[in-house]
Amino acid sequence: MKFLYTFLFLTLSSAVFAQSDIERFPVFEECKDKAIDQLEDCFYSTLYGQLKETYQHPVKNDSIPNQSVTMRFEVDREGSFVLIRTDALKASLKEEMIKAFEKLPKVEAPTFNGDPTYMQFILNIPVPMKESGSFQVYSNSNNDAKKQQRKKQVEDSLAFAKANEDYSSIISDQYDRNQLRSDAIIPLSYQRYHRYEAAMNRVGNNAHTAVKPYTFNYVDQYFDLEAERESLLKDQKTWLGRKWYNEHFFEVAGKDYWFVVDPGVDLQVGKDSRDDVNTYNNTRLVNVSGGIGSQITFGTNIQESQARFPGYFEREVRLRAPDGGNPGIVPGRGIAEDGGENIFDYPVATGYINYKPSKYFDLQLGHGQHFIGDGYRSLVLSDNSQPFPYFKLNAKFWKLDYTVLYTSLRDVRSEVTADDSFRTKYMTHHYLSWNATKRWNIGLFESVLWQDDNQRGFDFNYVNPVIFYQSIELQTGSRGGNALLGITTKYKFSDRLTGYGQLTLDEFSGASVASGNGSYQNKSAYQLGMKWQNAFKVPNLMMQLEYNRVRPYTYSHNTVVLNYGNSNQALAHPWGANFYEAILIGRYTKDRWYGIAKAIYGERGYDILQNGDNAFYGGNIYGSEDDRVSDNGNETVQGNISNFFYGHLEAGYVINPASRLKVFGQVIYRSQNPRFNNDFVRSESTMWLNIGLRTDIMNWSFDR
């Protein structure tokens, strides 16, 4: 069979390319004195000599015999060599041959009937090149129609032969930071995203920054990801050195596909001074990202973890215990099993596949986290909750960015569990972002939740992607759904200074708001913030000031299943409702080094749960409004009032900017002083020292 392919190929090749009298080959300076019937041989021999002079063979002592580089190029009407395509078994061979080809001089253009024309060539070049070596000529052609037809026959025969080549000829070592130019998701990380936003928020940019996570391709329009990666490279000669400091652990790429694989860890050890607890976290993970063609990208992350947390965080985990006997839920991660001795065993799995049918649209199916807003906190949708299933539609065009999110959520409390299974509820979220001017952005959003009652399932009344569903909620009954409406805004005072805000209205009642009598139906929240890039004229120093205020009963509902939560975790702010807080954050980056300083002060209102007072004061979003303390006279921060302070200092070094592996140390101080101690809150002050080695692909939220 191989003999048949070879015979077919040689027969077609020889039939096509005998030089005619009316056709003249390109002429090197060395060939000008040759007769016309000698120009072909002179052209090939001179071309071989020119390439050999500059080609540097990169493979030493290679055990693979008969290596070659196939080049398709043309000599145009000006006598320039124009490369069309290069193929080789090894990418390094291809790269070196391209370097040599780019150094070829101009020649006299080929002619046809005495007029300058172009001529195409397909050459196979055995490497390493030798003094007495030569090409295997696959084809050369001019624009004569008959020769073009015959050239196509040769190419078809080559393609047929190529399809029957051995497995060893498959090229998969052409990875060239493909991820940075793809529509793959950039994992949510505060420390990573603040640098991107500094570039995206420059005056005049048409970027939309509220909907996260971002994709590499979107960020790369405003922030040069490849230049940043290049600036962070270390000079490493060994394979192990490159993988540890510079590259993904496993990189594969060929024509129209690529993927990378990184093993990772989140290893932490620490000491909680108050409870005298030796803390640790032991996470092993694998992170995969890839693309097929120009329209499909995908990714997945799988983690297996065991941890012993500081006392205050352990109580947070246990307070969220689901029905069924498991001891708790780790905020932002998921249900934890009992590992003994106050150890929690918790797995995490996320993944997505993204399809881009055109430059304007993205369709994404996955299981993960989302964040909407420009602040440190979000009063709309945050990554405080554990990952959940979703389908996402995004459209970017003109000055608009429109996102539709369909999700499946769970209520895991024992009082709502039915037939030993958790209660399912659904949420549709719409967010419309409009860059009204080159400085001012306005966003409108709504979230509608409904429960899976009466075998209702996913109610297709909510599939319509057009924003604002309040009328549908009224049609299905006041207890059939829970709607949140609101607005976000951002204003760029300069390239360095950006202000932002959010206003959330939960089941908006205009009469209750206007009355000013503290109605429990006045359920609202707002955020005001400011970001200062290159603060105090220090490059890569970002300062952020933020204020959040949430009225009591916001995010809760008279049908408790319809609160704004997922698996005993808030979908918006981790504190729930009935609080105010002020946040000051500083973030600094220098090459691979970084530092964080954070201070949070606030007041929170808990339920009293003392002396027979079991009323619901509006802080716990899983409380029932039927148990509210009062119809009117409610004010922000009521009930068991507690002040709260959280201080956080952290410094670290990014070991590998591709996999995001870093080493860090942090000290956390947390203080809280409620009027009454109960099962939900107690007076305590904690100092927690913690060091670790972690792959930075998910945020930890310890400031709760």
Side-chain angles (χ1 to χ4, degrees), residues 389-452:
Y390 68 90
F391 175 75
K392 179 180 177 181
L393 184 152
N394 178 259
K396 291 184 176 70
F397 59 94
W398 188 51
K399 303 175 183 180
L400 300 177
D401 183 351
Y402 188 48
T403 300
V404 181
L405 196 64
Y406 303 106
T407 72
S408 175
L409 310 172
R410 296 191 302 176
D411 194 321
V412 300
R413 294 169 298 138
S414 58
E415 54 265 40
V416 300
T417 299
D419 299 324
D420 296 324
S421 62
F422 298 138
R423 183 71 68 88
T424 299
K425 59 182 177 181
Y426 302 98
M427 177 180 72
T428 295
H429 183 92
H430 300 119
Y431 182 76
L432 176 62
S433 175
W434 174 40
N435 285 329
T437 72
K438 66 180 182 179
R439 296 177 182 267
W440 186 27
N441 172 272
I442 302 172
L444 302 174
F445 72 88
E446 73 168 343
S447 294
V448 178
L449 296 97
W450 70 97
Q451 61 179 315
D452 184 15

Side-chain angles (χ1 to χ4, degrees), residues 330-375:
V330 180
R333 297 303 193 266
I335 294 177
E337 297 179 354
D338 190 352
E341 299 180 354
N342 295 325
I343 295 172
F344 299 100
D345 189 336
Y346 62 97
V348 181
T350 64
Y352 72 93
I353 182 167
N354 189 86
Y355 174 60
K356 192 176 186 68
S358 73
K359 63 182 290 187
Y360 302 108
F361 292 94
D362 285 272
L363 306 175
Q364 190 175 115
L365 180 67
H367 185 268
Q369 295 174 310
H370 305 267
F371 190 100
I372 295 181
D374 288 286

